[in-house]
Amino acid sequence: MRMYDVIMKKRNGERLSTEEINAFIDGYTKGQIPGYQVSALMMAIYFNKMDYQETFDLTMAMAHSGDTLDLSGINGLKCDKHSTGGVGDKTSLVLGPMVAAVGGKIVKMSGRGLGHTGGTIDKMESFQGLSTALSEEQFISQVNSVGFAITGQTGNLAPADKKLYALRDVTATVDNLSLIASSIMSKKIAAGADVIVLDVKCGSGAFMKNEKDAFALGEEMVRIGKTAGRKTIAIVTEMDQPLGFAVGNALEVKEAIATLKGRGPKDLLELCLVLGSHMVTESGLFASEEQGRAALEEVISNGKALDKLAEFVRAQGGNPDQVYDDSALPEAAIITEILFDETMIDGLNENFKSKMQSAGNDISLSNGYYVEHIQSDEVGNASRILGGGRATKEDVIDLSVGVALHKKVGDQLHKGESIATIYGNDESKIAAAISVLKGAYRFSTSPVHTSKLIKGIVKL
Ligand code: URA
């Protein structure tokens, strides 16, 4: 196979054979095919697309490009959950304990945050001493004893995807359905779970901006999972604003703990109950989602899910006391409220102001406003600016900083009310984060309807 011919075929809109895809992935993984040729192929795929068979072949070639986990030492069906990425998404820290407390077996490999999105591995490190690098033996033994374990991605799991994703990131070829589906599913298949529950985010803060594209991505991934012999379902969920209120590592851990105590944000709890009830029924623990949901609600109300989190933290070498006393988690030194005032209408929302004036609306703050939209990635950026996220992979992050929103889409607010609290350790970073966060909000003078959290379920 000549890489030149493969590029030309795809450039001309032809389909690639299984052999061509295998040879390209093998050569690229071994460093025999240069990045510039692979960039050209990615761009050709971006414009001319791949059909299902090509997408499946690419997934399997990447899944087998390195190590695959053998989880046969774990008793019972092993379940993995994956989110396509969002802001404020701390579901893994809630779902793991909940599902394990009703007898599920959760195997989870997670990543670190980059750009405006956070990563579960960083969040977990808010617990003193907690290790996020488990050996395969430790991982299997902990899932058998505790019911769930979370570890960082092992060095050689789907290495072809690792190289390809980094290349796509700098060549504007990330947002292609086949490339996203094969990238995610290659890692899930290599990671060895029997049951894969996918949370496909849809909205302004997600890769898939509209429902049609999100369902199409969900269907493609479910089909790949099933063809590969894994029970796979996808749940399409809203990401038009951050999930819950907290964005930032230790702040999100605190919100996850509050949720396990039954005092968390409604959207986060509901999402965890929906994902969790599918995880436990697909794992064969309950006959219906209703029964699964009732069991999950019970372990929250009787404290067993919270105890399970403490057991998990202890098993991974962390301090379980921080689960019961979250004031012992990292805390920022400077706490600043952002109060709703004229500047949020005047300076930063000129378009909105003139639109309202020309429509004859009263723009004084006395009547109150409604939150119309929150740009999720900008909330994530505010947290990153405070030090809670990375601009480059090498950046060291500050676990204590972040943002706690008080107003979400549909909420009414009046002058002087707090929109959000900023947790920071550096005045100049706080000033920059406030400006970004203020710009993330859009307001309306009339009531705003919120969109549905759960858009639908893909089960082929
Ligand atoms: N997440 C992945 O792992 N891969 C993609 O291509 C997009 C999101």
Side-chain angles (χ1 to χ4, degrees):
M1 180 211 72
R2 279 205 319 157
M3 189 61 188
Y4 179 90
D5 299 327
V6 173
I7 299 168
M8 189 151 74
K9 239 177 137 179
K10 193 38 88 181
R11 188 203 69 184
N12 293 344
E14 292 171 49
R15 63 177 309 283
L16 302 179
S17 68
T18 308
E19 292 70 34
E20 283 162 337
I21 289 173
N22 285 343
F24 140 61
I25 287 298
D26 187 49
Y28 186 47
T29 311
K30 290 180 176 151
Q32 294 161 349
I33 299 174
Y36 54 82
Q37 284 194 306
V38 180
S39 305
L41 180 63
M42 290 300 109
M43 196 55 87
I45 291 173
Y46 183 87
F47 282 115
N48 287 331
K49 309 201 166 32
M50 293 199 295
D51 68 14
Y52 174 72
Q53 189 59 47
E54 291 174 290
T55 309
F56 180 75
D57 289 342
L58 179 60
T59 309
M60 297 313 277
M62 292 198 293
H64 292 115
S65 62
D67 299 340
T68 52
L69 282 192
D70 175 8
L71 300 180
S72 55
I74 297 173
N75 312 315
L77 287 187
K78 284 83 63 186
C79 185
D80 193 356
K81 189 273 315 181
H82 180 83
S83 153
T84 58
V87 176
D89 190 349
K90 66 283 288 175
T91 49
S92 294
L93 295 171
V94 182
L95 268 172
M98 264 167 64
V99 172
V102 303
K105 293 282 173 359
I106 316 296
V107 287
K108 185 94 190 81
M109 270 197 188
S110 293
R112 294 193 181 274
L114 187 62
H116 69 272
T117 56
T120 303
I121 291 296
D122 295 325
K123 292 171 201 175
M124 283 165 54
E125 287 178 352
S126 303
F127 291 106
Q128 263 159 21
L130 188 142
S131 165
T132 54
L134 305 181
S135 69
E136 201 167 321
E137 294 71 36
Q138 284 171 320
F139 186 71
I140 290 173
S141 143
Q142 186 178 320
V143 177
N144 273 330
S145 59
V146 179
F148 88 108
I150 305 181
T151 186
Q153 206 113 324
T154 65
N156 203 31
L157 192 99
D161 172 65
K162 205 173 194 173
K163 276 183 93 171
L164 208 52
Y165 194 16
L167 187 84
R168 286 164 55 215
D169 207 21
V170 293
T171 54
T173 50
V174 168
D175 54 337
N176 168 276
L177 185 137
S178 295
L179 295 177
I180 295 176
S182 56
S183 165
I184 292 173
M185 291 308 290
S186 66
K187 288 176 285 222
K188 296 291 108 186
I189 289 166
D194 309 298
V195 177
I196 301 168
V197 174
L198 301 160
D199 177 4
V200 181
K201 302 287 188 195
C202 165
S204 64
F207 283 116
M208 296 298 160
K209 306 290 176 211
N210 60 58
E211 287 192 31
K212 186 171 159 276
D213 291 346
F215 275 98
L217 177 63
E219 276 161 27
E220 192 82 345
M221 292 196 290
V222 171
R223 199 171 162 199
I224 293 170
K226 287 195 83 165
T227 316
R230 314 295 167 94
K231 285 182 158 197
T232 311
I233 67 161
I235 302 175
V236 177
T237 70
E238 190 226 40
M239 184 37 76
D240 265 331
Q241 60 176 335
L243 185 64
F245 297 108
V247 179
N249 298 284
L251 291 171
E252 293 191 39
V253 170
K254 289 179 192 182
E255 191 164 76
I257 291 172
T259 306
L260 290 169
K261 289 177 177 166
R263 293 188 227 127
K266 269 207 270 185
D267 58 348
L268 174 62
L269 177 64
E270 179 58 21
L271 178 60
C272 290
L273 288 170
V274 172
L275 291 169
S277 57
H278 282 90
M279 287 165 84
V280 296
T281 40
E282 294 294 320
S283 299
L285 296 169
F286 295 91
S288 70
E289 273 104 49
E290 291 71 29
Q291 287 175 18
R293 186 182 171 110
L296 294 169
E297 283 170 337
E298 197 182 330
V299 291
I300 288 188
S301 55
N302 65 18
K304 287 191 178 160
L306 189 71
D307 292 343
K308 192 53 93 176
L309 178 66
E311 201 184 329
F312 157 82
V313 170
R314 186 184 299 108
Q316 297 213 188
N319 176 4
D321 296 343
Q322 289 174 299
V323 170
Y324 300 104
D325 174 15
D326 69 9
S327 67
L329 286 163
E331 279 194 354
I334 311 169
I335 296 174
T336 314
E337 297 296 327
I338 302 186
L339 304 182
F340 184 55
D341 64 18
E342 288 81 356
T343 64
M344 299 196 71
I345 304 299
D346 278 1
L348 294 157
N349 291 286
E350 260 333 305
N351 287 344
F352 169 74
K353 186 180 149 195
S354 60
K355 223 169 60 192
M356 289 219 308
Q357 274 172 327
S358 59
N361 287 322
D362 176 6
I363 60 152
S364 76
L365 290 173
S366 55
N367 295 339
Y369 282 82
Y370 297 87
V371 178
E372 186 178 66
H373 177 74
I374 306 173
Q375 190 65 32
S376 309
D377 49 0
E378 291 295 37
V379 180
N381 277 329
S383 174
R384 181 183 55 73
I385 289 165
L386 290 163
R390 297 181 181 81
T392 71
K393 275 191 202 149
E394 288 70 36
D395 288 351
V396 175
I397 58 169
D398 181 344
L399 295 168
S400 69
V401 301
V403 174
L405 306 178
H406 303 307
K407 297 291 178 183
K408 303 253 321 240
V409 173
D411 288 347
Q412 193 176 18
L413 72 166
H414 293 91
K415 183 173 180 170
E417 276 191 81
S418 176
I419 286 195
T421 308
I422 302 277
Y423 295 81
N425 288 316
D426 175 316
E427 295 287 3
S428 65
K429 290 180 181 170
I430 291 171
I434 289 176
S435 152
V436 168
L437 195 68
K438 281 184 168 181
Y441 272 84
R442 233 180 29 227
F443 305 98
S444 161
T445 46
S446 38
V448 173
H449 297 291
T450 51
S451 55
K452 272 199 324 199
L453 178 66
I454 310 293
K455 312 276 186 201
I457 294 169
V458 181
K459 218 172 169 178
L460 297 178

